[in-house]
Amino acid sequence: MQKIISAKAIIENLGEGMVWAEGPVWNKRGNYLLFSDPRLNTIYKWDKEGGLRPFIKPSGYEGAEWYSDEPGTNGLLINKEGDLIACDHGNRRITKINLSTKEKTALVSKWEGKRFNSPNDLCEHPLGYYFFTDPPYGLPGRLNDTSNREIAQNGVYRVNKTDNSVEQVINNLARPNGIAVNADGSKLYVALSDDAKPYLMVYDLENANIKGEGRIFIDFEKAFPAEKIRADGIKVDRNGNVFAAAGDGVVVIGTDGIAIGRIRSGIRTANCAFGADGFLYMTASDRLLRVKLK
């Protein structure tokens, strides 16, 4: 852990005022961070010069009437072409957003003719495929919604960028949430926001195809028996360590699935992202935090 972060590192508060900050992503081309607040239906921007301010509002659902408690975007990524790709709760789709014009284009909104539940988090494989999770947290009735739900499974999906074809690649997880792929594209990680099974799952990949059954990478109940924590958003560093937002900070997990340390802010943390400036950015409840990494 001392190779990753100094024990004396200071966690900075970059701004407050959100309700539930989520989905941070660093844009290398502009040297700034974007993140979502699905409850405030807003994508925020932060950079050193301008600080924290709203960037896109509404980020998701644009209707005048109430849709759900989380109508905005959640997970975000900047793809290889420099476009913003967003998990759009309110419109139940994956959306591409032009960062210059802020124009939104639906990439995928259905699987086998049925609307998604509420895409939650996503990642891009080195070969160009997107993987995303689809729990029901953005539906009007959330977990108990039966009138709006069209797909029974809380699935994990793969999108082919060349033709936007969609495949449901995992269908046996109760609450898939955060998702990430390692640098060489050989491992896919899926976090479960499931109190009964607070696991971080790992799947072997070959040419962006899942090979065999997934396995438990870490069981947070066994790793932290004195606390009731589970992972939300996850990221993988270039050495294969997994940074999992869980409890009041970020748990760092080695390639062997053993937790090697924690970055604790004391604030419930939803997600994290690596900045090209050497900082780890953390969306924590109503605020944006960061801490310097080695």
Side-chain angles (χ1 to χ4, degrees):
M1 191 64 176
Q2 292 178 1
K3 295 178 181 179
I4 295 173
I5 186 171
S6 168
K8 297 181 180 179
I10 302 299
I11 296 176
E12 301 175 58
N13 183 354
L14 300 178
E16 304 179 16
M18 287 68 69
V19 174
W20 184 241
E22 257 283 13
V25 64
W26 183 264
N27 185 4
K28 295 180 181 179
R29 300 184 185 188
N31 289 317
Y32 59 84
L33 187 88
L34 297 174
F35 67 94
S36 299
D37 189 327
R39 299 188 185 180
L40 292 182
N41 203 355
T42 302
I43 291 175
Y44 289 88
K45 180 179 181 178
W46 180 89
D47 58 26
K48 187 175 180 180
E49 293 74 25
L52 178 67
R53 66 272 196 194
F55 182 65
I56 300 174
K57 183 178 178 66
S59 61
Y61 179 70
E62 297 181 353
E65 299 179 355
W66 179 89
Y67 169 71
S68 78
D69 290 337
E70 296 190 359
T73 55
N74 196 316
L76 306 174
L77 71 79
I78 304 290
N79 68 12
K80 295 177 182 179
E81 293 73 40
D83 291 312
L84 177 64
I85 310 299
C87 287
D88 188 337
H89 273 196
N91 293 306
R92 300 168 68 170
R93 69 189 189 188
I94 301 297
T95 300
K96 181 170 77 172
I97 303 174
N98 184 300
L99 287 170
S100 298
T101 65
K102 301 181 183 178
E103 180 183 0
K104 304 171 190 174
T105 305
L107 290 185
V108 292
S109 57
K110 293 182 180 181
W111 170 68
E112 295 188 344
K114 301 175 183 178
R115 296 185 71 192
F116 296 119
N117 297 320
S118 55
N120 186 277
D121 201 7
L122 77 168
C123 60
E124 185 177 17
H125 189 274
L127 293 179
Y129 294 88
Y130 300 126
F131 288 90
F132 71 92
T133 58
D134 188 41
Y137 301 134
L139 291 175
R142 292 177 64 84
L143 294 170
N144 299 317
D145 197 316
T146 56
S147 59
N148 295 287
R149 188 177 189 131
E150 298 181 16
I151 301 175
Q153 301 91 354
N154 296 323
V156 176
Y157 297 86
R158 188 184 72 163
V159 181
N160 188 328
K161 283 172 63 175
T162 58
D163 60 5
N164 288 342
S165 59
V166 184
E167 181 183 358
Q168 188 185 78
V169 294
I170 304 172
N171 61 14
N172 62 350
L173 302 178
R175 298 188 189 179
N177 197 318
I179 191 167
V181 65
N182 66 346
D184 66 7
S186 64
K187 297 281 188 293
L188 180 72
Y189 297 90
V190 181
L192 307 186
S193 52
D194 186 346
D195 290 334
K197 296 179 179 180
Y199 305 154
L200 181 56
M201 302 293 294
V202 61
Y203 299 82
D204 293 323
L205 296 176
E206 184 177 314
N207 295 321
N209 293 297
I210 292 177
K211 294 297 181 181
E213 296 295 321
R215 58 192 181 276
I216 299 172
F217 183 65
I218 185 172
D219 180 339
F220 283 89
E221 187 173 34
K222 290 182 178 179
F224 304 100
E227 303 177 59
K228 194 174 183 65
I229 66 171
R230 46 188 170 83
D232 194 334
I234 53 177
K235 298 294 187 296
V236 185
D237 72 11
R238 60 190 177 190
N239 296 316
N241 300 308
V242 179
F243 286 61
D248 62 354
V250 173
V251 178
V252 183
I253 308 154
T255 56
D256 56 1
I258 303 298
I260 60 175
R262 299 176 73 175
I263 303 169
R264 306 186 73 168
S265 66
I267 303 168
R268 187 181 174 194
T269 303
N271 212 327
C272 60
F274 302 114
D277 56 358
F279 285 89
L280 177 71
Y281 290 82
M282 299 174 284
T283 48
S285 295
D286 64 341
R287 61 198 69 186
L288 175 67
L289 309 174
R290 76 172 182 177
V291 64
K292 188 75 171 180
L293 300 178
K294 288 186 176 179

